[in-house]
Amino acid sequence: MSAVASKPEKTILQLAHGLCVVIRWPGGDPDGSGLHPGERAFAATLAPRRARIWIAGRIALREALARLRLSCEVAILSTERGAPLLPAGMAGSVSHKAVGDEIIAAALVASGSAFTLGIDIEVTEALGVDVGKKVLTAAESAEIERVAPDRRRFETLLRFSIKEAVFKAVDPILRAKISFQVATVLPSNDGTVDIEWRLPPGVTRPETEAMWKLWNGLILTTARSAKTRSP
Ligand SMILES: CC(C)(COP(=O)(O)OP(=O)(O)OC[C@H]1O[C@@H](n2cnc3c(N)ncnc32)[C@H](O)[C@@H]1OP(=O)(O)O)[C@@H](O)C(=O)NCCC(=O)NCCS
């Protein structure tokens, strides 16, 4: 007897950095039959768990492109650095999570070639995972120390998520390995984020902005970086 696929829940969010699609598959079984044949062929080369989240990300990405009426007739594979490889005139980013049986994928898309984008999702239920030591700069650690103890895990996960989104937006521009220590991020309650860069000599500061929101048990962060950098 074949299992019945779970019904995905889809949400469209118009965010400051682009159109965002979040899709949740309660049974963790995204149906990749609507993807480009080249994407299905690529997914077939992946281990089953990775294939499921990769397919989930590409479904969210294609849904977001379709909502913006951006037609992408080629397979969306990946750059050599791992970012989604989109045709000129489109920018996009993907994040996904497997939580128990559930798969959640989020995609952020915008038209035009002036910016690169980043998106990250974190599940607030995963607050048990303490990523702090690896992720926080000294200034961020000091700030976390000032918040109530029961908020510290959340505030840490938020900063981690912002840095993941920022990384996805800046890596295609910098094309250099950077550490979590190069950016101190200061999120405000209104969803904006100040970013203080401390880049290695010779690396030009990217023009990047980031935003965050708490939505349906998810920390949802986005970033946008201008392709033309100031000296
Ligand atoms: C690349 C990275 C951000 C992925 O994050 P993750 O939490 O493992 O996974 P997510 O589901 O959120 O994101 C995965 C997606 O990121 C995207 N991605 C991977 N490498 C990327 C890159 N170099 N640039 C842009 N996007 C990238 C891909 O779309 C990938 O999904 P796909 O392979 O299915 O297409 C993470 O592994 C990493 O290297 N983090 C380091 C960040 C860092 O150094 N920050 C410091 C700067 S402040």
Side-chain angles (χ1 to χ4, degrees):
M1 196 173 74
S2 66
V4 179
S6 59
K7 197 169 153 30
E9 291 169 32
K10 194 183 300 173
T11 307
I12 316 298
L13 300 166
Q14 187 59 62
L15 302 178
H17 299 145
L19 185 101
C20 173
V21 170
V22 182
I23 311 181
R24 306 176 83 123
W25 288 265
D29 48 1
D31 173 9
S33 59
L35 294 181
H36 186 281
E39 291 163 0
R40 293 203 303 273
F42 176 74
T45 68
L46 302 172
R49 186 182 156 87
R50 170 74 178 121
R52 281 196 295 277
I53 60 167
W54 192 86
I55 287 168
R58 286 316 188 263
I59 293 173
L61 194 51
R62 285 202 168 269
E63 178 72 31
L65 291 171
R67 297 267 168 175
L68 280 187
R69 297 186 199 289
L70 292 171
S71 156
C72 179
E73 281 156 23
V74 295
I76 307 172
L77 301 177
S78 305
T79 67
E80 73 287 354
R81 298 184 68 82
L85 184 54
L86 286 159
M90 304 176 198
S93 182
V94 170
S95 182
H96 28 51
K97 281 271 171 294
V99 189
D101 287 342
E102 187 181 31
I103 288 183
I104 310 168
L108 178 73
V109 158
S111 61
S113 300
F115 296 97
T116 52
L117 297 178
I119 188 167
D120 185 69
I121 50 170
E122 298 297 330
V123 181
T124 53
E125 278 170 17
L127 285 177
V129 184
D130 188 1
V131 291
K133 289 198 174 58
K134 188 178 82 169
V135 166
L136 299 177
T137 60
E140 288 163 341
S141 294
E143 208 198 350
I144 300 276
E145 285 296 309
R146 286 195 287 273
V147 302
D150 64 350
R151 292 252 336 149
R152 286 182 191 157
R153 289 265 165 117
F154 171 80
E155 295 294 337
T156 302
L157 193 62
L158 173 59
R159 284 155 182 77
F160 172 67
S161 182
I162 293 166
K163 289 183 181 200
E164 293 282 81
V166 165
F167 174 85
K168 290 177 191 176
V170 302
D171 184 69
I173 295 173
L174 296 183
R175 286 188 228 98
K177 197 164 164 47
I178 54 171
S179 88
F180 282 103
Q181 299 299 315
V182 301
T184 292
V185 298
L186 303 143
S188 298
N189 287 340
D190 65 0
T192 59
V193 179
D194 279 342
I195 307 174
E196 288 170 7
W197 291 98
R198 219 177 63 190
L199 290 153
V203 180
T204 309
R205 182 178 59 80
E207 278 180 31
T208 305
E209 51 182 48
M211 300 283 294
W212 73 277
K213 71 193 289 158
L214 189 55
W215 175 81
N216 270 6
L218 294 179
I219 295 172
L220 181 56
T221 55
T222 63
R224 184 171 72 173
S225 223
K227 282 193 186 164
T228 311
R229 288 183 278 150
S230 48

